[in-house]
Amino acid sequence: MKLRTPQQMINFLTDDRVSELADMVRNRFGLNFSSERWKDLRSAVVRFQREDSSFKTPAECLEYILSPTVGTDDLEQFINRLTIGETFFFRDTNALRVLEYEILRKISGRGSGLNGAARIWSTACSTGEEPYTLAMICRRSGVSAEIFGTDIDSKALIKAREGCYRKWSFRSEDTGFRDIFFRKVGSNSFLLDSSIKRMVNLSRLNLMDASVPVALQDMDVILCRNVLMYFSSAGVNSVLDKLWDCLTPGGWLVATPSESGLLSSHGRFEPVNVGGVLLYRKNENYVPECRMDFDGFKFRDDFKTSFSSAAEQFDFNAQLESTPADFVDLKFPEPEIPVPEVESVPEPPVIPRAGNDGAALLKQAGEVRMHGDTLKAVSLYKEVVEHENPREIKAAAFLGIAGIKADSGLTDEAALWCAKALELDRVSPCAHFLLGQICFQQGDLSTALAHMRNAVFLDSEFIMAHFLLGNIYLEQNDSNGALRHFRISMQELDKMDQDDPVPCSDNVTAGRLMEMVRLVQQQLVQ
């Protein structure tokens, strides 16, 4: 008998039953799998069936998962195959710097924990890199803290408790902490110091559970980064309501810039710029903008229609029917965009070299960066700019360095390298996008807006630029502009394979980004 391929087995799972599975996963776990992502559900069923010999076919396995008799442990193992934990130590050092110096050090000894300890919760800790990073920060700063890490993935938590990590978990540019808090136990493995492990309490938690354990109440700081995008619209509101209740008055929620739209539409957290980083505070006296109607649409209290220039004053209903090209045809006044001074990035000496070598080095730098060796990548990029190469090649190298600096949270340095790239290539949409992203993270919305508008003017199909523009307009209480750019991003996303990563998105797939945009759109028009 000829064996069926995994793809053939996937095809035996009917749309009706997969639709029921999507409903169950959404209702019980809050995870949103639209029809574009049913492939992920089918693949998870096949993997689960192949690893459990008690099921002869994926269809039989699916029937069990959907049955009232499914075991809790079995369902947990299935859910483990649906979640993705993408993390590394000291990820986004700029946000961590602000958290350490502007929040944790100031509340040390005055927190809600025992003897004034600061209580900190990493809500989706995956394999432990985030809560252990927090523990290392508190250790070096002398901050007394009670740190908690939770995740729905029980296998990830087992790895977190082991505390043994490979080089891929150390992708931050500065890895000096590895020599202090880790011991090398193999050619590619590092074991975390047991004193740091003891500082973190790890436990499994489904954020959609009816109640949060008492141990997770009265938090001073909650980190919920790259989490909300996985939930349905109802799930987002439910999770954020729980986090609000778990925070002490004046407590802080840390999210990512890409999730700011979901937090703004939720409306209960007060956005605050702290040291150039946008955080969210539980301020019980915070009152969003008054409710208003616009051409029949009902907007939440925290939005109002405002127009920043004559170019933004357009007919809303007509704009909803327009194409991305209509946006490009709009004539914006040339914005005044402050570009960072670049004197602190020294001009390297020029050494004659064949131009073709520069392109090869760029490719090599990109490859080693993909494998997590950022130090080697920076060295290769610098080698490109130190030799005689075409302007566009050198500009790409400057932008590569800027991207690595930004990924490491070194936003000021990233802005300087971006400025060098723009000196050589003023029409680089990627350079404008990265500068806009940095300004947005730092709370400089007007400069972020100018750079993002330049990015979409230069590339009208730049998905992430439209997505970030939508988030910027939300922060400026311009629901009109936000909806327009979210609509354009959806049009462009619809052209992509749903499993492909969106350029400049930190490997978020098109399907996942579409779900996030839909969530914000639903909140805006409900």
Side-chain angles (χ1 to χ4, degrees), residues 109-389:
R110 298 185 292 108
S112 57
L114 183 65
N115 296 323
R119 287 174 55 80
I120 314 168
W121 175 18
S122 169
T123 59
C125 68
S126 185
T127 48
E129 285 88 338
E130 182 171 84
Y132 287 143
T133 294
L134 296 169
M136 287 183 269
I137 284 175
C138 290
R139 170 65 64 82
R140 75 182 182 190
S141 296
V143 174
S144 174
E146 299 172 6
I147 304 171
F148 300 82
T150 63
D151 202 276
I152 195 173
D153 189 339
S154 55
K155 286 188 176 180
L157 289 170
I158 291 174
K159 180 173 174 58
R161 291 188 179 98
E162 292 172 350
C164 191
Y165 298 91
R166 298 175 71 82
K167 287 182 179 179
W168 186 242
S169 293
F170 302 93
R171 302 200 295 281
S172 173
E173 191 178 11
D174 181 7
T175 56
F177 65 91
R178 191 174 65 189
D179 298 330
I180 300 173
F181 297 110
F182 291 83
R183 174 169 57 88
K184 194 170 184 179
V185 292
S187 61
N188 191 31
S189 297
F190 300 84
L191 185 64
L192 180 64
D193 187 275
S194 58
S195 64
I196 297 296
K197 286 200 291 183
R198 287 195 295 269
M199 292 178 65
V200 177
N201 300 281
L202 298 169
S203 60
R204 185 179 183 276
L205 176 69
N206 175 10
L207 286 170
M208 288 301 294
D209 285 344
S211 61
V212 176
V214 175
L216 296 175
Q217 302 289 336
D218 299 322
M219 289 291 162
D220 297 299
V221 177
I222 296 178
L223 289 88
C224 186
R225 303 196 292 181
N226 297 309
V227 176
L228 300 176
M229 67 180 72
Y230 292 97
F231 290 102
S232 62
S233 179
V236 168
N237 286 329
S238 175
V239 168
L240 289 177
D241 284 342
K242 287 185 177 73
L243 300 185
W244 167 271
D245 292 336
C246 288
L247 280 171
T248 58
W252 296 93
L253 177 65
V254 183
T256 62
S258 60
E259 295 166 310
S260 62
L262 299 175
L263 279 155
S264 295
S265 58
H266 179 256
R268 296 183 71 184
F269 290 90
E270 179 188 18
V272 182
N273 186 327
V274 182
V277 173
L278 189 63
L279 301 179
Y280 294 85
R281 180 168 57 193
K282 180 177 179 177
N283 179 359
E284 295 175 337
N285 297 319
Y286 175 60
V287 179
E289 298 289 335
C290 295
R291 187 178 194 65
M292 65 169 296
D293 297 345
F294 188 86
D295 287 353
F297 284 88
K298 296 288 186 179
F299 293 107
R300 291 180 63 88
D301 291 347
D302 49 333
F303 297 108
K304 65 179 180 179
T305 302
S306 63
F307 301 96
S308 58
S309 69
E312 294 301 308
Q313 298 178 11
F314 61 96
D315 181 79
F316 181 61
N317 291 323
Q319 188 67 28
L320 282 176
E321 302 301 325
S322 66
T323 64
D326 294 326
F327 171 74
V328 178
D329 290 339
L330 295 175
K331 302 302 182 184
F332 294 111
E334 186 67 27
E336 292 293 330
I337 308 175
V339 176
E341 297 293 332
V342 299
E343 286 75 6
S344 60
V345 179
E347 185 68 44
V350 176
I351 304 172
R353 190 173 187 161
N356 289 337
D357 287 347
L361 285 172
L362 273 182
K363 182 179 179 181
Q364 185 182 355
E367 290 172 352
V368 299
R369 181 182 176 187
M370 286 282 291
H371 287 85
D373 192 347
T374 54
L375 292 177
K376 177 64 174 177
V378 169
S379 175
L380 289 169
Y381 284 132
K382 287 183 176 179
E383 191 173 345
V384 171
V385 299
E386 286 170 358
H387 295 81
E388 188 172 350
N389 282 298

Side-chain angles (χ1 to χ4, degrees), residues 420-433:
K420 295 291 289 185
L422 284 172
E423 277 190 341
L424 296 177
D425 186 3
R426 296 296 299 177
V427 293
S428 168
C430 292
H432 283 290
F433 170 77

